[in-house]
Coordinates of all heavy atoms in Angstrom, one line a residue:
M291 N 52.0 32.6 416.6 CA 53.4 32.5 416.9 C 54.1 31.5 415.9 O 55.2 31.3 416.0 CB 53.6 31.8 418.3 CG 53.1 32.7 419.4 SD 54.1 34.2 419.5 CE 53.4 35.0 420.9
K292 N 53.3 31.0 415.0 CA 53.8 30.1 414.0 C 54.7 30.9 413.0 O 54.3 32.0 412.6 CB 52.6 29.5 413.2 CG 52.9 28.2 412.5 CD 51.5 27.7 412.1 CE 51.8 26.5 411.1 NZ 50.5 26.0 410.6
C293 N 55.8 30.3 412.6 CA 56.6 30.9 411.6 C 56.0 30.9 410.2 O 55.3 30.0 409.8 CB 58.0 30.2 411.5 SG 59.1 30.5 412.8
A294 N 56.1 32.0 409.5 CA 55.6 32.1 408.2 C 56.4 31.1 407.3 O 57.6 30.8 407.5 CB 55.7 33.5 407.7
K295 N 55.7 30.6 406.3 CA 56.4 29.7 405.3 C 57.5 30.5 404.6 O 57.2 31.6 404.2 CB 55.4 29.1 404.4 CG 54.5 28.1 405.0 CD 55.1 26.7 404.9 CE 54.1 25.7 405.5 NZ 54.8 24.6 406.1
T296 N 58.6 30.0 404.5 CA 59.7 30.7 403.7 C 60.2 29.7 402.7 O 60.1 28.5 402.8 CB 60.8 31.1 404.7 OG1 61.5 29.9 405.0 CG2 60.4 31.8 405.9
P297 N 60.9 30.3 401.7 CA 61.5 29.5 400.6 C 62.8 28.9 401.1 O 63.5 28.2 400.4 CB 61.7 30.4 399.5 CG 61.8 31.8 400.1 CD 61.0 31.7 401.4
L298 N 63.2 29.2 402.4 CA 64.5 28.7 402.9 C 64.5 27.2 403.1 O 63.5 26.6 403.3 CB 64.8 29.5 404.2 CG 65.0 31.0 404.1 CD1 65.2 31.6 405.5 CD2 66.1 31.4 403.2
K299 N 65.7 26.7 403.1 CA 65.9 25.2 403.3 C 65.7 24.8 404.7 O 66.0 25.6 405.6 CB 67.2 24.8 402.8 CG 67.5 25.1 401.3 CD 68.9 24.7 400.9 CE 69.2 25.0 399.5 NZ 70.6 24.8 399.1
G300 N 65.2 23.6 404.9 CA 65.1 23.0 406.3 C 66.3 22.1 406.6 O 67.2 22.0 405.8
W301 N 66.2 21.5 407.8 CA 67.3 20.7 408.3 C 67.6 19.5 407.4 O 68.7 19.0 407.3 CB 67.2 20.3 409.8 CG 66.0 19.5 410.0 CD1 64.7 19.9 410.3 CD2 65.9 18.0 410.0 NE1 63.9 18.8 410.5 CE2 64.6 17.7 410.3 CE3 66.9 17.0 409.8 CZ2 64.2 16.4 410.4 CZ3 66.5 15.7 409.9 CH2 65.1 15.4 410.2
K302 N 66.5 19.0 406.8 CA 66.7 17.8 405.9 C 67.6 18.0 404.7 O 68.0 17.1 404.1 CB 65.3 17.3 405.5 CG 64.5 16.7 406.7 CD 63.2 16.2 406.2 CE 62.4 15.6 407.4 NZ 61.0 15.3 407.1
E303 N 67.7 19.3 404.4 CA 68.5 19.7 403.2 C 70.0 20.1 403.6 O 70.7 20.5 402.7 CB 67.9 20.8 402.5 CG 66.5 20.3 401.9 CD 65.6 21.5 401.6 OE1 65.0 22.1 402.5 OE2 65.4 21.7 400.4
L304 N 70.3 20.0 404.9 CA 71.7 20.3 405.3 C 72.7 19.3 404.7 O 72.3 18.1 404.6 CB 71.8 20.2 406.8 CG 71.3 21.4 407.6 CD1 71.3 21.1 409.1 CD2 72.1 22.6 407.4
P305 N 73.9 19.7 404.3 CA 74.9 18.7 403.9 C 75.2 17.8 405.0 O 75.1 18.1 406.2 CB 76.1 19.6 403.5 CG 75.6 21.0 403.5 CD 74.4 21.0 404.3
E306 N 75.6 16.6 404.7 CA 76.0 15.6 405.7 C 77.0 16.2 406.7 O 78.0 16.8 406.3 CB 76.6 14.3 405.0 CG 76.7 13.1 405.9 CD 77.1 11.9 405.2 OE1 76.8 11.8 403.9 OE2 77.6 11.0 405.8
G307 N 76.7 15.9 407.9 CA 77.6 16.5 409.0 C 77.5 18.0 409.2 O 78.2 18.6 410.0
G308 N 76.5 18.6 408.6 CA 76.3 20.0 408.7 C 77.5 20.8 408.2 O 77.7 21.9 408.6
T309 N 78.2 20.2 407.2 CA 79.3 20.9 406.6 C 79.0 22.2 406.0 O 78.0 22.3 405.3 CB 79.9 20.0 405.5 OG1 80.1 18.7 406.1 CG2 81.3 20.5 405.1
I310 N 79.8 23.2 406.2 CA 79.6 24.5 405.6 C 80.4 24.4 404.2 O 81.6 24.3 404.1 CB 80.2 25.6 406.4 CG1 79.4 25.7 407.7 CG2 80.1 27.0 405.7 CD1 80.0 26.6 408.8
T311 N 79.6 24.5 403.1 CA 80.2 24.3 401.8 C 80.6 25.6 401.1 O 81.4 25.5 400.2 CB 79.1 23.5 400.9 OG1 77.9 24.3 400.9 CG2 78.9 22.1 401.4
E312 N 80.0 26.7 401.6 CA 80.4 28.0 401.1 C 80.2 29.0 402.1 O 79.3 28.9 403.0 CB 79.6 28.3 399.8 CG 78.1 28.3 400.0 CD 77.4 28.5 398.7 OE1 77.3 29.6 398.2 OE2 76.9 27.5 398.1
P313 N 81.0 30.1 402.1 CA 80.8 31.1 403.1 C 79.5 31.8 403.1 O 78.9 32.0 402.0 CB 81.9 32.2 402.7 CG 82.8 31.5 401.8 CD 82.0 30.4 401.2
G314 N 78.9 32.0 404.3 CA 77.6 32.7 404.3 C 76.4 31.9 404.0 O 75.3 32.4 403.8
S315 N 76.6 30.5 403.9 CA 75.5 29.7 403.4 C 74.3 29.6 404.4 O 73.2 29.2 404.1 CB 76.0 28.3 403.1 OG 76.5 27.7 404.3
S316 N 74.6 30.1 405.6 CA 73.5 30.0 406.7 C 72.3 30.8 406.3 O 71.2 30.6 406.7 CB 74.0 30.5 408.0 OG 74.4 31.8 408.0
V317 N 72.5 31.8 405.4 CA 71.3 32.7 405.0 C 70.3 31.9 404.2 O 69.2 32.3 404.0 CB 71.8 34.0 404.3 CG1 72.6 34.9 405.2 CG2 72.5 33.6 403.0
L318 N 70.8 30.7 403.7 CA 69.9 29.9 402.8 C 69.0 29.0 403.6 O 68.1 28.4 403.1 CB 70.7 29.1 401.9 CG 71.7 29.9 400.9 CD1 72.5 28.9 400.2 CD2 70.9 30.7 400.0
F319 N 69.2 28.9 405.0 CA 68.5 27.9 405.8 C 67.6 28.6 406.8 O 67.9 29.7 407.3 CB 69.5 27.0 406.5 CG 70.3 26.1 405.6 CD1 71.4 26.5 405.0 CD2 69.7 24.9 405.3 CE1 72.1 25.6 404.1 CE2 70.4 24.0 404.4 CZ 71.6 24.4 403.8
D320 N 66.5 27.9 407.1 CA 65.6 28.3 408.1 C 66.0 27.6 409.4 O 65.7 26.4 409.6 CB 64.2 28.0 407.7 CG 63.2 28.3 408.8 OD1 63.6 28.8 409.9 OD2 62.0 28.0 408.6
A321 N 66.7 28.3 410.3 CA 67.2 27.7 411.5 C 66.2 27.2 412.4 O 66.4 26.4 413.3 CB 68.2 28.6 412.2
S322 N 65.0 27.7 412.3 CA 63.9 27.3 413.2 C 63.2 26.0 412.8 O 62.4 25.5 413.5 CB 62.8 28.4 413.2 OG 62.1 28.5 412.0
A323 N 63.6 25.5 411.6 CA 62.9 24.3 411.1 C 63.0 23.1 411.9 O 62.1 22.2 411.9 CB 63.4 24.0 409.7
W324 N 64.0 23.0 412.7 CA 64.2 21.8 413.6 C 63.7 22.0 415.0 O 63.9 21.1 415.9 CB 65.6 21.2 413.6 CG 66.7 22.2 413.9 CD1 67.0 22.6 415.2 CD2 67.5 22.9 413.0 NE1 68.0 23.5 415.1 CE2 68.4 23.7 413.8 CE3 67.7 22.9 411.6 CZ2 69.4 24.5 413.2 CZ3 68.7 23.7 411.1 CH2 69.5 24.5 411.9
R325 N 63.1 23.1 415.3 CA 62.6 23.4 416.6 C 61.4 22.5 416.9 O 60.5 22.3 416.1 CB 62.2 24.9 416.7 CG 61.8 25.3 418.1 CD 61.5 26.8 418.1 NE 60.4 27.2 417.2 CZ 60.4 28.2 416.3 NH1 61.4 29.0 416.3 NH2 59.3 28.4 415.6
T326 N 61.3 21.9 418.2 CA 60.2 21.1 418.6 C 59.4 21.8 419.7 O 58.3 21.4 419.9 CB 60.7 19.7 419.1 OG1 61.6 19.9 420.2 CG2 61.4 18.9 418.0
S327 N 60.0 22.8 420.3 CA 59.2 23.6 421.3 C 59.6 25.0 421.2 O 60.8 25.3 420.7 CB 59.4 23.0 422.7 OG 60.7 23.1 423.1
M328 N 58.8 25.9 421.5 CA 59.0 27.3 421.3 C 58.8 28.1 422.6 O 57.9 27.8 423.4 CB 58.1 27.9 420.2 CG 56.6 27.7 420.5 SD 55.6 27.9 419.0 CE 56.1 29.5 418.4
P329 N 59.6 29.1 422.9 CA 59.5 29.9 424.1 C 58.4 31.0 423.9 O 58.3 31.6 422.9 CB 60.8 30.6 424.2 CG 61.4 30.7 422.8 CD 60.8 29.5 422.1
I330 N 57.5 31.1 424.9 CA 56.5 32.1 424.9 C 56.7 33.0 426.1 O 56.8 32.5 427.2 CB 55.1 31.4 425.1 CG1 54.8 30.3 424.0 CG2 54.0 32.5 425.0 CD1 54.7 30.8 422.6
I331 N 56.8 34.3 425.8 CA 57.0 35.3 426.9 C 55.7 35.8 427.5 O 54.9 36.2 426.7 CB 57.9 36.4 426.4 CG1 59.3 36.0 425.9 CG2 58.1 37.5 427.5 CD1 60.1 37.1 425.4
D332 N 55.6 35.7 428.8 CA 54.4 36.3 429.4 C 54.8 37.7 429.8 O 55.5 37.9 430.8 CB 54.0 35.4 430.7 CG 52.8 36.0 431.4 OD1 52.5 37.2 431.2 OD2 52.3 35.2 432.3
H333 N 54.4 38.7 429.1 CA 54.8 40.1 429.3 C 54.3 40.6 430.6 O 54.8 41.6 431.1 CB 54.4 40.9 428.1 CG 55.2 40.5 426.9 ND1 56.5 40.9 426.7 CD2 54.8 39.7 425.8 CE1 56.9 40.4 425.5 NE2 55.9 39.7 425.0
A334 N 53.2 40.0 431.2 CA 52.7 40.5 432.5 C 53.7 40.1 433.6 O 53.8 40.8 434.6 CB 51.3 39.9 432.7
K335 N 54.5 39.1 433.4 CA 55.4 38.6 434.4 C 56.8 39.2 434.2 O 57.6 39.3 435.1 CB 55.5 37.1 434.4 CG 54.4 36.4 435.0 CD 54.7 34.9 435.1 CE 53.6 34.0 435.6 NZ 53.9 32.6 435.5
C336 N 57.1 39.6 432.9 CA 58.5 40.0 432.5 C 58.9 41.3 433.3 O 58.1 42.3 433.3 CB 58.5 40.2 431.0 SG 60.1 40.8 430.4
T337 N 60.1 41.3 433.9 CA 60.6 42.4 434.6 C 61.6 43.2 433.7 O 62.2 44.2 434.2 CB 61.3 42.0 435.8 OG1 62.4 41.2 435.5 CG2 60.4 41.3 436.8
K338 N 61.8 42.8 432.4 CA 62.7 43.4 431.5 C 64.1 43.4 432.0 O 64.9 44.4 431.8 CB 62.2 44.9 431.2 CG 60.8 44.9 430.6 CD 60.4 46.3 430.3 CE 59.0 46.4 429.7 NZ 58.5 47.7 429.5
C339 N 64.5 42.3 432.6 CA 65.9 42.2 433.2 C 66.9 41.9 432.1 O 68.1 42.2 432.3 CB 65.9 41.1 434.2 SG 65.8 39.4 433.5
G340 N 66.5 41.3 431.0 CA 67.4 41.1 429.9 C 68.2 39.8 429.9 O 69.0 39.5 429.1
M341 N 68.0 39.0 430.9 CA 68.8 37.7 431.1 C 68.5 36.8 429.9 O 69.4 36.1 429.4 CB 68.4 37.0 432.4 CG 68.9 37.8 433.6 SD 70.7 38.2 433.6 CE 71.3 36.7 434.2
C342 N 67.3 36.7 429.4 CA 67.0 35.8 428.2 C 67.8 36.3 427.0 O 68.4 35.5 426.3 CB 65.5 35.8 428.0 SG 64.8 37.4 427.7
W343 N 67.9 37.6 426.9 CA 68.6 38.2 425.8 C 70.1 37.9 425.9 O 70.8 37.6 424.9 CB 68.4 39.7 425.8 CG 69.1 40.6 424.8 CD1 68.7 40.7 423.5 CD2 70.2 41.3 425.0 NE1 69.6 41.6 422.9 CE2 70.6 41.9 423.8 CE3 71.1 41.6 426.1 CZ2 71.6 42.8 423.6 CZ3 72.2 42.4 425.9 CH2 72.4 43.0 424.7
I344 N 70.6 38.0 427.1 CA 72.1 37.7 427.3 C 72.4 36.2 427.0 O 73.4 35.9 426.4 CB 72.5 38.1 428.7 CG1 72.4 39.6 428.9 CG2 73.8 37.5 429.1 CD1 72.6 40.0 430.4
F345 N 71.5 35.3 427.5 CA 71.9 33.9 427.4 C 71.5 33.2 426.1 O 72.0 32.1 425.9 CB 71.3 33.2 428.6 CG 72.1 33.3 429.9 CD1 71.8 34.3 430.8 CD2 73.3 32.6 430.1 CE1 72.5 34.4 432.0 CE2 74.1 32.8 431.2 CZ 73.7 33.7 432.2
C346 N 70.6 33.8 425.3 CA 70.2 33.1 424.1 C 71.4 32.9 423.2 O 72.0 33.8 422.8 CB 69.1 33.9 423.4 SG 68.7 33.1 421.8
P347 N 71.7 31.6 422.9 CA 72.9 31.4 422.1 C 72.8 31.7 420.6 O 73.7 31.8 419.9 CB 73.1 29.8 422.2 CG 71.8 29.3 422.5 CD 71.1 30.4 423.3
E348 N 71.5 32.0 420.2 CA 71.3 32.4 418.8 C 71.0 33.8 418.6 O 70.6 34.2 417.5 CB 70.1 31.5 418.3 CG 70.4 30.0 418.3 CD 71.6 29.6 417.6 OE1 71.9 30.2 416.6 OE2 72.2 28.6 418.0
A349 N 71.0 34.6 419.7 CA 70.6 36.1 419.6 C 69.2 36.2 419.0 O 69.0 37.0 418.1 CB 71.7 36.9 418.8
A350 N 68.4 35.3 419.4 CA 67.0 35.2 418.8 C 66.0 36.0 419.6 O 64.8 36.1 419.3 CB 66.5 33.8 418.7
I351 N 66.5 36.7 420.7 CA 65.6 37.6 421.5 C 66.0 39.0 421.2 O 67.2 39.4 421.3 CB 65.7 37.2 423.0 CG1 65.1 35.8 423.1 CG2 64.9 38.2 423.8 CD1 65.1 35.3 424.5
K352 N 65.0 39.8 420.9 CA 65.3 41.2 420.6 C 64.6 42.1 421.6 O 63.6 41.7 422.2 CB 64.9 41.6 419.1 CG 63.4 41.7 418.9 CD 63.2 42.3 417.5 CE 61.7 42.5 417.3 NZ 61.4 43.1 416.0
V353 N 65.2 43.3 421.7 CA 64.6 44.3 422.6 C 63.9 45.3 421.8 O 64.4 45.8 420.8 CB 65.8 45.1 423.4 CG1 65.1 45.9 424.5 CG2 66.8 44.1 423.9
N354 N 62.7 45.6 422.1 CA 61.8 46.5 421.4 C 62.1 47.9 421.9 O 62.7 48.1 423.0 CB 60.4 46.2 421.6 CG 60.0 44.9 420.9 OD1 60.4 44.7 419.7 ND2 59.2 44.0 421.5
P355 N 61.8 49.0 421.2 CA 62.1 50.3 421.6 C 61.4 50.7 423.0 O 62.0 51.5 423.7 CB 61.4 51.2 420.5 CG 61.5 50.3 419.3 CD 61.3 48.9 419.8
D356 N 60.3 50.0 423.3 CA 59.7 50.2 424.6 C 60.4 49.4 425.8 O 59.9 49.5 426.9 CB 58.2 50.0 424.6 CG 57.9 48.5 424.4 OD1 58.8 47.7 424.2 OD2 56.7 48.1 424.4
G357 N 61.4 48.7 425.5 CA 62.1 47.9 426.5 C 61.6 46.5 426.7 O 62.2 45.8 427.5
S358 N 60.6 46.2 426.0 CA 60.1 44.8 426.1 C 60.9 43.9 425.2 O 61.6 44.3 424.3 CB 58.6 44.8 425.6 OG 58.5 45.1 424.3
Y359 N 60.8 42.6 425.6 CA 61.6 41.6 424.9 C 60.7 40.7 424.0 O 59.5 40.4 424.4 CB 62.4 40.7 425.9 CG 63.5 41.5 426.5 CD1 63.3 42.4 427.5 CD2 64.8 41.4 426.0 CE1 64.3 43.2 428.1 CE2 65.8 42.1 426.5 CZ 65.6 43.0 427.6 OH 66.6 43.8 428.1
E360 N 61.2 40.2 422.9 CA 60.4 39.5 422.0 C 61.3 38.4 421.3 O 62.5 38.6 421.1 CB 60.0 40.5 420.9 CG 59.0 39.9 419.9 CD 58.6 41.0 418.8 OE1 58.7 42.2 419.2 OE2 58.3 40.6 417.7
V361 N 60.7 37.2 421.1 CA 61.5 36.2 420.4 C 61.3 36.3 418.9 O 60.2 36.5 418.4 CB 60.9 34.8 420.8 CG1 61.7 33.7 420.1 CG2 61.0 34.6 422.4
E362 N 62.5 36.2 418.2 CA 62.4 36.2 416.8 C 62.5 34.7 416.4 O 63.5 34.1 416.3 CB 63.6 37.0 416.2 CG 63.5 38.5 416.5 CD 64.4 39.3 415.6 OE1 65.6 39.5 416.0 OE2 64.0 39.7 414.5
Y363 N 61.3 34.2 416.1 CA 61.2 32.7 415.9 C 61.9 32.2 414.7 O 62.2 31.0 414.7 CB 59.7 32.4 415.9 CG 59.0 32.5 417.2 CD1 58.2 33.6 417.5 CD2 59.3 31.6 418.2 CE1 57.6 33.8 418.8 CE2 58.7 31.8 419.5 CZ 57.9 32.8 419.7 OH 57.4 33.0 421.0
M364 N 62.2 33.1 413.8 CA 62.9 32.6 412.6 C 64.3 32.1 413.0 O 64.9 31.2 412.3 CB 63.1 33.8 411.6 CG 63.8 33.5 410.4 SD 62.8 32.5 409.3 CE 64.0 32.2 408.0
Y365 N 64.9 32.6 414.1 CA 66.2 32.3 414.5 C 66.3 31.4 415.7 O 67.3 30.9 416.1 CB 67.0 33.6 414.7 CG 67.0 34.5 413.6 CD1 66.3 35.7 413.7 CD2 67.6 34.2 412.4 CE1 66.2 36.6 412.6 CE2 67.5 35.1 411.3 CZ 66.8 36.2 411.4 OH 66.7 37.1 410.3
C366 N 65.1 31.2 416.4 CA 65.0 30.4 417.6 C 65.1 28.9 417.3 O 64.3 28.4 416.5 CB 63.8 30.8 418.4 SG 63.4 29.7 419.7
K367 N 66.0 28.2 418.0 CA 66.1 26.7 417.8 C 65.3 25.9 418.8 O 65.4 24.7 418.9 CB 67.5 26.3 417.7 CG 68.2 26.9 416.5 CD 69.7 26.6 416.5 CE 70.3 27.2 415.2 NZ 71.7 27.2 415.3
G368 N 64.7 26.6 419.8 CA 63.9 26.0 420.8 C 64.8 25.2 421.9 O 64.3 24.3 422.5
C369 N 65.9 25.7 422.2 CA 66.8 25.1 423.1 C 66.3 25.2 424.6 O 66.6 24.4 425.4 CB 68.2 25.6 423.0 SG 68.4 27.3 423.6
G370 N 65.5 26.2 424.9 CA 65.0 26.4 426.2 C 65.9 27.1 427.2 O 65.5 27.2 428.4
I371 N 67.0 27.5 426.8 CA 68.0 28.2 427.7 C 67.3 29.5 428.2 O 67.5 29.8 429.4 CB 69.3 28.5 427.0 CG1 70.1 27.2 426.7 CG2 70.1 29.5 427.8 CD1 71.3 27.4 425.9
C372 N 66.6 30.2 427.4 CA 65.9 31.4 427.9 C 64.9 31.1 429.0 O 64.8 31.9 430.0 CB 65.2 32.1 426.7 SG 64.1 31.1 425.8
E373 N 64.3 30.0 428.9 CA 63.3 29.6 430.0 C 64.1 29.4 431.3 O 63.6 29.9 432.4 CB 62.6 28.4 429.6 CG 61.5 27.9 430.6 CD 60.9 26.6 430.3 OE1 61.7 25.6 430.0 OE2 59.7 26.5 430.3
K374 N 65.2 28.8 431.2 CA 66.0 28.5 432.4 C 66.6 29.8 433.0 O 66.8 29.9 434.2 CB 67.1 27.5 432.1 CG 66.7 26.2 431.6 CD 66.0 25.4 432.7 CE 65.6 24.0 432.2 NZ 64.6 23.3 433.1
A375 N 66.9 30.7 432.1 CA 67.6 32.0 432.5 C 66.6 33.0 433.2 O 67.0 33.9 433.8 CB 68.2 32.6 431.3
C376 N 65.3 32.8 433.0 CA 64.4 33.7 433.5 C 64.0 33.4 434.9 O 63.3 32.5 435.2 CB 63.1 33.7 432.6 SG 61.9 34.9 433.1
A377 N 64.4 34.3 435.8 CA 64.2 34.1 437.2 C 62.8 34.2 437.7 O 62.4 33.6 438.7 CB 65.1 35.1 438.0
V378 N 62.0 34.9 436.9 CA 60.6 35.1 437.4 C 59.6 34.2 436.6 O 58.4 34.3 436.7 CB 60.2 36.6 437.2 CG1 61.0 37.5 438.2 CG2 60.3 37.1 435.8
K379 N 60.2 33.3 435.8 CA 59.5 32.3 435.1 C 58.4 32.9 434.1 O 57.3 32.5 434.0 CB 58.8 31.3 436.0 CG 59.8 30.5 436.9 CD 59.2 29.3 437.5 CE 60.1 28.6 438.4 NZ 61.4 28.3 437.9
A380 N 58.9 34.0 433.4 CA 58.0 34.6 432.5 C 58.1 34.0 431.1 O 57.4 34.3 430.2 CB 58.4 36.1 432.3
I381 N 59.0 33.0 430.9 CA 59.1 32.3 429.7 C 58.7 30.8 429.9 O 59.2 30.2 430.8 CB 60.5 32.4 429.1 CG1 60.9 33.8 428.8 CG2 60.6 31.6 427.8 CD1 62.3 34.0 428.3
K382 N 57.9 30.3 429.0 CA 57.5 28.9 429.1 C 57.6 28.3 427.7 O 57.2 28.9 426.7 CB 56.0 28.9 429.5 CG 55.5 27.5 429.8 CD 54.1 27.6 430.4 CE 53.6 26.2 430.6 NZ 52.4 25.8 429.8
M383 N 58.3 27.1 427.7 CA 58.4 26.4 426.4 C 57.2 25.7 426.1 O 56.7 24.9 427.0 CB 59.6 25.5 426.5 CG 61.0 26.1 426.7 SD 61.5 27.3 425.5 CE 61.7 26.3 424.1
E384 N 56.6 25.8 425.0 CA 55.4 25.1 424.6 C 55.7 24.3 423.3 O 56.6 24.7 422.5 CB 54.3 26.1 424.3 CG 53.9 26.8 425.6 CD 52.6 27.7 425.4 OE1 52.0 27.7 424.3 OE2 52.2 28.3 426.4
E385 N 55.0 23.3 423.1 CA 55.1 22.4 422.0 C 55.0 23.2 420.7 O 54.0 24.0 420.5 CB 54.1 21.2 422.0 CG 54.4 20.2 421.0 CD 53.5 19.0 421.1 OE1 52.9 18.8 422.2 OE2 53.3 18.3 420.1
E386 N 55.9 23.0 419.7 CA 55.8 23.6 418.5 C 54.6 23.2 417.7 O 54.2 22.0 417.7 CB 57.1 23.3 417.7 CG 57.2 23.9 416.3 CD 57.2 25.4 416.3 OE1 58.1 25.9 417.0 OE2 56.4 26.0 415.7
K387 N 53.9 24.2 417.1 CA 52.7 23.8 416.4 C 52.8 23.9 414.9 O 51.8 24.0 414.2 CB 51.6 24.8 416.9 CG 51.3 24.7 418.3 CD 50.3 25.7 418.8 CE 50.0 25.6 420.3 NZ 51.1 26.2 421.1
K388 N 54.0 23.9 414.4 CA 54.2 23.9 412.9 C 53.6 22.7 412.2 O 53.7 21.6 412.7 CB 55.7 24.0 412.6 CG 56.3 25.3 412.7 CD 57.7 25.4 412.0 CE 58.8 25.4 413.0 NZ 60.1 25.7 412.5
Ligands
LIG28 S1 64.6 36.8 431.5 FE1 62.4 36.8 431.9 S2 62.0 38.7 433.1 FE2 64.0 38.9 432.1 S3 63.6 40.0 430.2 FE3 63.6 37.8 429.7 S4 61.4 37.2 429.9 FE4 61.7 39.2 430.9
LIG29 S1 64.7 28.7 423.0 FE1 67.0 28.9 422.8 S2 67.2 29.8 420.8 FE2 65.1 30.1 421.3 S3 65.0 32.2 422.2 FE3 65.2 30.7 423.9 S4 67.5 30.6 424.2 FE4 67.1 31.5 422.2

């Protein structure tokens, strides 16, 4: 579940105040770099209701062709909203292992 190393910039390289210095600059940054915990989906418990997908503020949860849900860790900031949104507790936040 660990993110692959990328040449993208981490949070320490953000401009002061998170200022956007040029349009579209977000593609240069690894948004997952400041995550301290990561959501893990237990597919045996998941009912495929889609609530995590609806509530994720980063659109970091994707739907697979078979209807299952998956976290795209490259875009996940570890906020834990998906864990709270899941009524059957199929998502558990675990300490980041990066
Ligand atoms: S909110 Fe929970 S049950 Fe619903 S799709 Fe997401 S992980 Fe599955
Ligand atoms: S922890 Fe936050 S950013 Fe990551 S998938 Fe869940 S809701 Fe989205």
Side-chain angles (χ1 to χ4, degrees):
M291 296 295 183
K292 200 170 168 182
C293 282
K295 290 269 183 213
T296 71
L298 298 176
K299 297 175 183 176
W301 63 271
K302 290 180 181 174
E303 295 159 287
L304 283 171
E306 194 170 338
T309 311
I310 297 169
T311 54
E312 56 186 283
S315 61
S316 63
V317 296
L318 302 174
F319 290 90
D320 177 0
S322 70
W324 54 80
R325 187 176 60 225
T326 57
S327 58
M328 60 198 301
I330 307 293
I331 298 177
D332 180 344
H333 293 282
K335 286 185 184 173
C336 177
T337 60
K338 301 179 179 176
C339 71
M341 294 304 278
C342 55
W343 178 80
I344 290 170
F345 281 99
C346 174
E348 301 301 329
I351 295 183
K352 73 170 185 181
V353 191
N354 292 316
D356 67 356
S358 64
Y359 288 80
E360 185 181 336
V361 179
E362 292 196 271
Y363 290 103
M364 181 71 188
Y365 307 109
C366 169
K367 294 175 180 165
C369 68
I371 289 174
C372 54
E373 181 187 52
K374 300 289 182 198
C376 182
V378 297
K379 301 195 182 310
I381 300 180
K382 188 171 178 246
M383 298 300 291
E384 293 188 2
E385 190 178 338
E386 179 63 53
K387 297 176 182 77
K388 277 195 255 191

